[in-house]
Amino acid sequence: MRSTELTYVPQSTSKRRIGRGIGVAAAIAVAAAVTAPVAAQAAGAADATPAASSELHDDFNGDGYADLAVAAPTATVGGKKGAGYVAVLYGSANGLNTTKRQVFSQNTAGVPGSAETDDAFGSALSTADLDRDGYADLVVGAGREDTADGGTDSGLVEVLWGGPKGLSGGAALATGKAHDGLGAQGRLALGDVDGDGAEDLVTVENQFNLRVLSGPFARDGSTARDEQIVKDEFDSRVLDLATGDVNGDGVTDVAATENDGDEYDARRVVYWPGSRQGLAPYITVKGADGYRIQGGENLDIGDVDQDGVDDIVVGRAVDGYDSDLDTPAAKGGRVTWIPGTSDGPDGTKITHLNQDSPGVPGAAESGDGFGTDVRVADVNGDGYPDVATGLPYEDLGGVSGAGAVVVLRGSAKGLTGTGAQVVTQNTPNVPGAAEKGDTFGKAVHLADANHDGLADLAAGAPGENGNAGSVWYFRSGPTTVVSPNGTTAFGNTLLGTTATDARLGTGFAG
């Protein structure tokens, strides 16, 4: 692995709107990053005005631009291996701004706790305005935290508060029981599941029961309402959570991918309808044959076909099990679109896509990991949300495990392979080069960092530079996910953090 960290800071250009062409741009100049101190820098103008609520999802300083939070949960902090940190870079009119950044760990002033070995601070990230002050807040899981109340690996979920200067201060929101791993990867989501206008926190206890903390939250992390525990009658394992309105009733629902223990032949998709009384018991999504559809390891929610009801998109990256024989497009991993309806997700009209599907770049090969992460947002500005997915174990020109990201297009008929695009470190204008074990695309993210109406792509490569990890940000255009003058790559050198086994880019907030 190379030791040089590459950074490109985008040039200033005017915003592009939907329907406008891409102008000719100068070639990218790539330069080595300069070392910067671990930043708790001011990340927005002191007089910033909070953005409208529809823009708040990732906007921590209220300036109208989406910000990027990325995790390194295995990083060494203060000499403690695996303590973990979270880096935040702020959006601007020119895209992601590498000069406005912050790094948070449990050694940061105002953040509850202290950095300890294997706490895994940053094991899960999510965003919402928990205290309803007009600024998005960052919720962070520390899935291996030992707590006084819960014991070994009980886990901890805490919040970093947004404000006009960016994130600052925090509070503990919830702790688990021994070995719960509360706040572990895939076990954290936010959404108004009781329809009262305040964001609620959804976590997982005992690996399969949902635990709901009803907002709004006070600045000390407390709430005025009792928790809700939604029990699962079976010994399931929640693999990932997402929130959205999948039945069109105006109240946020929760969807999950699950399996039975470590049995990957028993993957399924379930959802809990939201209501004024909180979450109802879960419903399993079934196919045309009346049996539950084969799920995956992760999912996201968005209205891909723009029919007014949110859809579920599932990534099924793990192949090689017996269930591959009787489920479509399983080879090499797949992405499944499940349309939402007024009766809930319709498993009889699903679409499966893998690298053998028409229009999708590449070819399906066992172990590629297509569908490792999925995110839903409108990348090209045509009004239909698209889906970004990683395939971190894709081989490129004989280089094993280099990795790639594919963007699949949304349409009135749902998710399609037509017009799909692929991005790798070998793509023109992308800093760096594909190398063995980089796992580019292990995590992906979509958000509009320059507020031009197009969701920009971020990709994590936690295997880069011998597991130090790096992140790539691509400013989208109407016809491409890689604008010639809008690519930024950064890693531990820019952040001033310890690189050894940090695996920066393991996950993003969303």
Side-chain angles (χ1 to χ4, degrees):
M1 295 290 176
R2 62 188 177 282
S3 59
T4 302
E5 177 183 305
L6 301 178
T7 299
Y8 171 69
V9 181
Q11 301 173 5
S12 175
T13 59
S14 61
K15 296 179 183 178
R16 299 189 181 95
R17 298 295 177 183
I18 297 172
R20 293 182 63 182
I22 300 178
V24 177
I28 280 185
V30 179
V34 295
T35 301
V38 175
Q41 301 176 12
D47 60 350
T49 301
S53 59
S54 63
E55 301 171 342
L56 277 173
H57 182 63
D58 295 290
D59 185 7
F60 304 126
N61 60 357
D63 62 359
Y65 302 104
D67 308 315
L68 181 72
V70 58
T74 64
T76 298
V77 176
K80 305 295 184 180
K81 294 181 179 180
Y85 72 79
V86 177
V88 177
L89 276 73
Y90 288 80
S92 73
N94 299 317
L96 206 62
N97 188 343
T98 58
T99 67
K100 291 184 177 179
R101 60 188 185 274
Q102 294 174 291
V103 175
F104 294 93
S105 73
Q106 289 185 291
N107 281 352
T108 302
V111 177
S114 59
E116 298 171 312
T117 300
D118 292 332
D119 276 352
F121 181 79
S123 53
L125 302 173
S126 193
T127 61
D129 183 8
L130 294 189
D131 58 354
R132 297 197 291 188
D133 67 348
Y135 298 94
D137 308 307
L138 178 63
V139 177
V140 183
R144 299 188 63 185
E145 176 90 11
D146 298 341
T147 65
D149 294 335
T152 302
D153 290 343
S154 55
L156 170 69
V157 177
E158 50 193 37
V159 60
L160 306 178
W161 299 113
K165 294 184 179 180
L167 295 170
S168 64
L173 300 178
T175 59
K177 301 174 184 178
H179 305 293
D180 256 4
L182 197 77
Q185 183 179 15
R187 298 177 185 172
L188 176 64
L190 298 168
D192 181 12
V193 301
D194 55 13
D196 66 352
E199 298 286 339
D200 309 311
L201 171 64
V202 183
T203 61
V204 179
E205 69 171 22
N206 261 0
Q207 300 189 66
F208 53 85
N209 294 331
L210 293 194
R211 178 180 172 189
V212 183
L213 282 70
S214 297
F217 292 79
R219 297 289 284 196
D220 64 358
S222 64
T223 65
R225 299 176 60 183
D226 292 335
E227 296 180 2
Q228 180 189 16
I229 304 295
V230 187
K231 293 189 176 181
D232 190 332
E233 60 185 315
F234 301 109
D235 185 20
S236 307
R237 297 291 184 271
V238 171
L239 302 177
D240 198 15
L241 292 174
T243 55
D245 186 6
V246 298
N247 58 10
D249 66 354
V251 182
T252 300
D253 312 306
V254 178
T257 53
E258 293 185 338
N259 68 351
D260 294 333
D262 294 326
E263 179 53 68
Y264 278 89
D265 279 331
R267 286 168 284 186
R268 58 185 168 270
V269 180
V270 301
Y271 68 99
W272 295 262
S275 73
R276 297 293 180 178
Q277 292 73 45
L279 293 179
Y282 76 87
I283 300 170
T284 302
V285 180
K286 296 181 179 180
D289 59 1
Y291 293 95
R292 65 191 186 193
I293 66 171
Q294 277 281 331
E297 298 76 50
N298 67 94
L299 80 168
D300 198 8
I301 293 176
D303 189 4
V304 173
D305 57 0
Q306 283 295 283
D307 66 350
V309 184
D310 284 340
D311 314 314
I312 299 175
V313 178
V314 180
R316 186 184 192 274
V318 178
D319 62 341
Y321 285 79
D322 289 344
S323 58
D324 291 357
L325 300 175
D326 58 9
T327 188
K331 185 177 182 180
R334 77 177 183 199
V335 173
T336 299
W337 172 70
I338 309 171
T341 74
S342 58
D343 294 322
D346 186 352
T348 70
K349 297 180 180 179
I350 58 181
T351 296
H352 299 298
L353 297 173
N354 72 354
Q355 285 189 284
D356 283 342
S357 301
V360 179
E365 298 170 314
S366 296
D368 278 352
F370 185 82
T372 290
D373 195 5
V374 290
R375 296 299 178 101
V376 181
D378 185 5
V379 173
N380 61 355
D382 65 355
Y384 294 98
D386 309 303
V387 174
T389 187
L391 52 162
Y393 307 110
E394 177 88 342
D395 297 343
L396 300 175
V399 179
S400 63
V405 175
V406 169
V407 177
L408 305 167
R409 298 303 185 187
S411 74
K413 295 182 179 180
L415 196 63
T416 176
T418 302
Q421 294 185 346
V422 64
V423 181
T424 75
Q425 287 191 71
N426 288 345
T427 299
N429 301 320
V430 175
E435 295 175 311
K436 181 179 180 180
D438 279 350
T439 61
F440 179 88
K442 182 70 173 177
V444 297
H445 181 68
L446 292 174
D448 188 3
N450 63 341
H451 201 179
D452 66 349
L454 310 179
D456 305 314
L457 170 68
E464 180 80 5
N465 290 338
N467 291 327
S470 289
V471 176
W472 280 257
Y473 157 78
F474 307 99
R475 201 164 70 195
S476 298
T479 61
T480 179
V481 295
V482 183
S483 294
N485 62 342
T487 301
T488 301
F490 66 91
N492 290 274
T493 300
L494 181 77
L495 300 174
T497 49
T498 300
T500 304
D501 294 324
R503 296 189 62 81
L504 176 66
T506 295
F508 296 97

